Amino acid sequence: MLAVHRTRHHNGRAELTAYREAYAGGEWQLYVAGEFDEATTGPLADVLDDACRQRAWRIVIDCSAVTFADVAFLRTLLTPHAHDVQVVLAAPSTALRRLLQATGTVNRFPVTRRAWSAPTG
């Protein structure tokens, strides 16, 4: 069973939905959409911090609907690495791929081309 946590930034530019396995130490799955910069990465940072505190072993982030990403978003994605948590980027958008290439961080994340299906309910 997955517990669903949904957070939407107040200005509507970014959306985050997190799904995680009910037991501690599981795999977390996140769906992010919209524009991510210094003003909109806070909810994502909070969820990633929570995943690290609960000893997630892997976080898979569906990034297919990210329309803008800057270095604040990249810093947030890198945070779990300090806790030995693997971050996998699922279907990274063109905007995110450009950021990873421009910053030389392409090889820091395993990438899967397939976006995942979010649980319903």
Side-chain angles (χ1 to χ4, degrees):
M1 172 142 196
L2 298 175
V4 177
H5 306 276
R6 176 169 275 162
T7 303
R8 187 169 182 90
H9 191 267
H10 75 277
N11 69 10
R13 289 191 302 136
E15 180 182 343
L16 162 68
T17 305
Y19 305 89
R20 67 177 173 84
E21 294 181 24
Y23 58 90
E27 176 181 283
W28 287 49
Q29 296 180 344
L30 309 180
Y31 171 78
V32 293
E35 301 174 11
F36 287 90
D37 55 24
E38 192 69 39
T40 58
T41 57
L44 176 60
D46 292 344
V47 169
L48 293 178
D49 287 344
D50 191 31
C52 292
R53 277 193 306 279
Q54 293 193 32
R55 294 186 170 90
W57 64 278
R58 178 170 57 191
I59 303 168
V60 180
I61 306 174
D62 182 331
C63 299
S64 59
V66 172
T67 57
F68 175 82
D70 71 2
V71 292
F73 184 63
L74 179 58
R75 277 193 310 266
T76 302
L77 294 179
L78 289 168
T79 300
H81 289 275
H83 301 278
D84 294 323
V85 177
Q86 181 185 46
V87 176
V88 177
L89 303 179
S93 67
T94 300
L96 181 54
R97 286 194 315 268
R98 283 186 192 137
L99 174 65
L100 296 174
Q101 290 170 352
T103 59
T105 55
V106 162
N107 295 324
R108 295 291 306 263
F109 302 95
V111 173
T112 178
R113 293 179 193 208
R114 181 181 296 180
W116 50 272
S117 297
T120 58

Short mmCIF file of all heavy atoms in Angstrom, two decimals, residues 86-113:
data_model
loop_
_atom_site.label_atom_id
_atom_site.label_comp_id
_atom_site.label_asym_id
_atom_site.label_seq_id
_atom_site.Cartn_x
_atom_site.Cartn_y
_atom_site.Cartn_z
N GLN A 86 19.82 6.60 -3.39
CA GLN A 86 19.90 6.69 -4.85
C GLN A 86 18.72 7.49 -5.38
O GLN A 86 17.57 7.23 -5.00
CB GLN A 86 19.90 5.30 -5.46
CG GLN A 86 20.00 5.31 -6.96
CD GLN A 86 19.87 3.92 -7.56
OE1 GLN A 86 19.01 3.16 -7.18
NE2 GLN A 86 20.75 3.63 -8.51
N VAL A 87 18.98 8.44 -6.25
CA VAL A 87 17.94 9.21 -6.93
C VAL A 87 17.95 8.81 -8.40
O VAL A 87 18.97 8.95 -9.08
CB VAL A 87 18.15 10.73 -6.78
CG1 VAL A 87 17.12 11.50 -7.58
CG2 VAL A 87 18.11 11.14 -5.31
N VAL A 88 16.81 8.31 -8.87
CA VAL A 88 16.65 7.91 -10.27
C VAL A 88 15.72 8.90 -10.93
O VAL A 88 14.64 9.18 -10.41
CB VAL A 88 16.07 6.48 -10.37
CG1 VAL A 88 15.84 6.09 -11.83
CG2 VAL A 88 16.96 5.48 -9.67
N LEU A 89 16.11 9.42 -12.08
CA LEU A 89 15.27 10.35 -12.82
C LEU A 89 14.53 9.58 -13.91
O LEU A 89 15.16 8.97 -14.77
CB LEU A 89 16.11 11.47 -13.44
CG LEU A 89 16.95 12.27 -12.44
CD1 LEU A 89 17.76 13.33 -13.18
CD2 LEU A 89 16.08 12.90 -11.37
N ALA A 90 13.21 9.60 -13.83
CA ALA A 90 12.38 8.90 -14.82
C ALA A 90 11.91 9.90 -15.86
O ALA A 90 11.33 10.93 -15.52
CB ALA A 90 11.18 8.23 -14.14
N ALA A 91 12.19 9.61 -17.09
CA ALA A 91 11.74 10.41 -18.24
C ALA A 91 12.04 11.90 -18.06
O ALA A 91 11.15 12.74 -18.15
CB ALA A 91 10.25 10.20 -18.48
N PRO A 92 13.32 12.25 -17.82
CA PRO A 92 13.62 13.67 -17.63
C PRO A 92 13.25 14.50 -18.86
O PRO A 92 13.52 14.10 -19.98
CB PRO A 92 15.13 13.71 -17.37
CG PRO A 92 15.65 12.39 -17.80
CD PRO A 92 14.52 11.43 -17.77
N SER A 93 12.63 15.63 -18.59
CA SER A 93 12.19 16.52 -19.67
C SER A 93 13.40 17.14 -20.36
O SER A 93 14.53 17.09 -19.86
CB SER A 93 11.31 17.62 -19.10
OG SER A 93 12.09 18.47 -18.26
N THR A 94 13.15 17.76 -21.48
CA THR A 94 14.20 18.46 -22.21
C THR A 94 14.83 19.54 -21.34
O THR A 94 16.05 19.70 -21.32
CB THR A 94 13.63 19.09 -23.50
OG1 THR A 94 13.10 18.04 -24.30
CG2 THR A 94 14.69 19.84 -24.28
N ALA A 95 14.01 20.28 -20.59
CA ALA A 95 14.53 21.34 -19.71
C ALA A 95 15.49 20.77 -18.68
O ALA A 95 16.56 21.35 -18.43
CB ALA A 95 13.37 22.06 -19.02
N LEU A 96 15.15 19.65 -18.09
CA LEU A 96 16.02 19.05 -17.08
C LEU A 96 17.27 18.46 -17.72
O LEU A 96 18.38 18.60 -17.19
CB LEU A 96 15.27 17.99 -16.28
CG LEU A 96 16.09 17.32 -15.18
CD1 LEU A 96 16.71 18.34 -14.23
CD2 LEU A 96 15.22 16.34 -14.41
N ARG A 97 17.13 17.83 -18.85
CA ARG A 97 18.31 17.27 -19.54
C ARG A 97 19.30 18.38 -19.89
O ARG A 97 20.52 18.21 -19.74
CB ARG A 97 17.90 16.49 -20.78
CG ARG A 97 17.26 15.15 -20.46
CD ARG A 97 17.15 14.24 -21.67
NE ARG A 97 16.67 14.87 -22.88
CZ ARG A 97 15.39 14.93 -23.25
NH1 ARG A 97 14.46 14.38 -22.51
NH2 ARG A 97 15.04 15.53 -24.36
N ARG A 98 18.80 19.52 -20.33
CA ARG A 98 19.68 20.66 -20.64
C ARG A 98 20.45 21.12 -19.40
O ARG A 98 21.64 21.42 -19.46
CB ARG A 98 18.87 21.83 -21.20
CG ARG A 98 18.47 21.64 -22.62
CD ARG A 98 17.79 22.90 -23.15
NE ARG A 98 17.15 22.62 -24.41
CZ ARG A 98 15.96 23.04 -24.76
NH1 ARG A 98 15.25 23.79 -23.94
NH2 ARG A 98 15.46 22.74 -25.93
N LEU A 99 19.74 21.19 -18.26
CA LEU A 99 20.38 21.61 -17.01
C LEU A 99 21.48 20.62 -16.62
O LEU A 99 22.59 21.01 -16.26
CB LEU A 99 19.34 21.72 -15.89
CG LEU A 99 19.89 22.01 -14.50
CD1 LEU A 99 20.54 23.38 -14.43
CD2 LEU A 99 18.77 21.88 -13.47
N LEU A 100 21.18 19.33 -16.69
CA LEU A 100 22.16 18.31 -16.32
C LEU A 100 23.39 18.36 -17.24
O LEU A 100 24.53 18.24 -16.77
CB LEU A 100 21.53 16.92 -16.37
CG LEU A 100 20.39 16.67 -15.37
CD1 LEU A 100 19.76 15.31 -15.63
CD2 LEU A 100 20.88 16.79 -13.94
N GLN A 101 23.16 18.58 -18.53
CA GLN A 101 24.28 18.68 -19.47
C GLN A 101 25.10 19.93 -19.22
O GLN A 101 26.34 19.89 -19.22
CB GLN A 101 23.77 18.63 -20.90
CG GLN A 101 23.24 17.26 -21.28
CD GLN A 101 22.49 17.25 -22.60
OE1 GLN A 101 22.23 18.29 -23.20
NE2 GLN A 101 22.15 16.06 -23.06
N ALA A 102 24.44 21.06 -19.00
CA ALA A 102 25.14 22.33 -18.80
C ALA A 102 25.97 22.33 -17.52
O ALA A 102 27.01 23.00 -17.47
CB ALA A 102 24.13 23.49 -18.76
N THR A 103 25.54 21.59 -16.51
CA THR A 103 26.24 21.57 -15.23
C THR A 103 27.18 20.38 -15.08
O THR A 103 27.85 20.25 -14.05
CB THR A 103 25.23 21.57 -14.07
OG1 THR A 103 24.39 20.42 -14.19
CG2 THR A 103 24.41 22.84 -14.04
N GLY A 104 27.22 19.52 -16.07
CA GLY A 104 28.10 18.36 -16.01
C GLY A 104 27.66 17.31 -14.99
O GLY A 104 28.49 16.55 -14.50
N THR A 105 26.38 17.27 -14.68
CA THR A 105 25.88 16.33 -13.67
C THR A 105 25.06 15.19 -14.27
O THR A 105 24.40 14.45 -13.55
CB THR A 105 25.03 17.07 -12.62
OG1 THR A 105 23.99 17.80 -13.29
CG2 THR A 105 25.87 18.03 -11.80
N VAL A 106 25.12 15.03 -15.57
CA VAL A 106 24.37 13.97 -16.24
C VAL A 106 24.64 12.61 -15.63
O VAL A 106 23.73 11.81 -15.43
CB VAL A 106 24.70 13.96 -17.76
CG1 VAL A 106 24.31 12.67 -18.41
CG2 VAL A 106 24.02 15.12 -18.45
N ASN A 107 25.89 12.33 -15.31
CA ASN A 107 26.27 11.02 -14.80
C ASN A 107 26.03 10.83 -13.31
O ASN A 107 26.31 9.76 -12.77
CB ASN A 107 27.73 10.73 -15.14
CG ASN A 107 27.94 10.65 -16.63
OD1 ASN A 107 27.09 10.15 -17.36
ND2 ASN A 107 29.07 11.16 -17.09
N ARG A 108 25.50 11.83 -12.63
CA ARG A 108 25.23 11.71 -11.19
C ARG A 108 23.94 10.95 -10.90
O ARG A 108 23.71 10.53 -9.77
CB ARG A 108 25.12 13.10 -10.56
CG ARG A 108 26.36 13.94 -10.58
CD ARG A 108 27.48 13.43 -9.67
NE ARG A 108 27.10 13.24 -8.29
CZ ARG A 108 27.30 14.10 -7.32
NH1 ARG A 108 27.86 15.24 -7.55
NH2 ARG A 108 26.95 13.80 -6.09
N PHE A 109 23.09 10.80 -11.91
CA PHE A 109 21.78 10.19 -11.71
C PHE A 109 21.55 9.05 -12.70
O PHE A 109 21.72 9.24 -13.90
CB PHE A 109 20.66 11.22 -11.94
CG PHE A 109 20.75 12.43 -11.08
CD1 PHE A 109 21.38 13.58 -11.53
CD2 PHE A 109 20.22 12.42 -9.80
CE1 PHE A 109 21.46 14.70 -10.74
CE2 PHE A 109 20.30 13.54 -9.00
CZ PHE A 109 20.92 14.69 -9.46
N PRO A 110 21.11 7.89 -12.20
CA PRO A 110 20.60 6.89 -13.14
C PRO A 110 19.34 7.45 -13.80
O PRO A 110 18.57 8.17 -13.15
CB PRO A 110 20.26 5.68 -12.26
CG PRO A 110 20.94 5.94 -10.96
CD PRO A 110 21.10 7.42 -10.84
N VAL A 111 19.14 7.15 -15.06
CA VAL A 111 17.99 7.68 -15.79
C VAL A 111 17.23 6.52 -16.43
O VAL A 111 17.84 5.59 -16.96
CB VAL A 111 18.44 8.67 -16.89
CG1 VAL A 111 17.27 9.09 -17.77
CG2 VAL A 111 19.08 9.89 -16.25
N THR A 112 15.92 6.58 -16.34
CA THR A 112 15.08 5.66 -17.07
C THR A 112 14.21 6.48 -18.00
O THR A 112 13.80 7.58 -17.65
CB THR A 112 14.22 4.78 -16.14
OG1 THR A 112 13.40 3.93 -16.93
CG2 THR A 112 13.35 5.60 -15.21
N ARG A 113 13.99 6.00 -19.18
CA ARG A 113 13.20 6.76 -20.16
C ARG A 113 11.71 6.67 -19.91
O ARG A 113 10.95 7.44 -20.44
CB ARG A 113 13.50 6.26 -21.56
CG ARG A 113 14.91 6.56 -21.98
CD ARG A 113 15.17 6.04 -23.34
NE ARG A 113 16.60 6.07 -23.59
CZ ARG A 113 17.12 6.19 -24.76
NH1 ARG A 113 16.36 6.26 -25.83
NH2 ARG A 113 18.42 6.21 -24.91
#
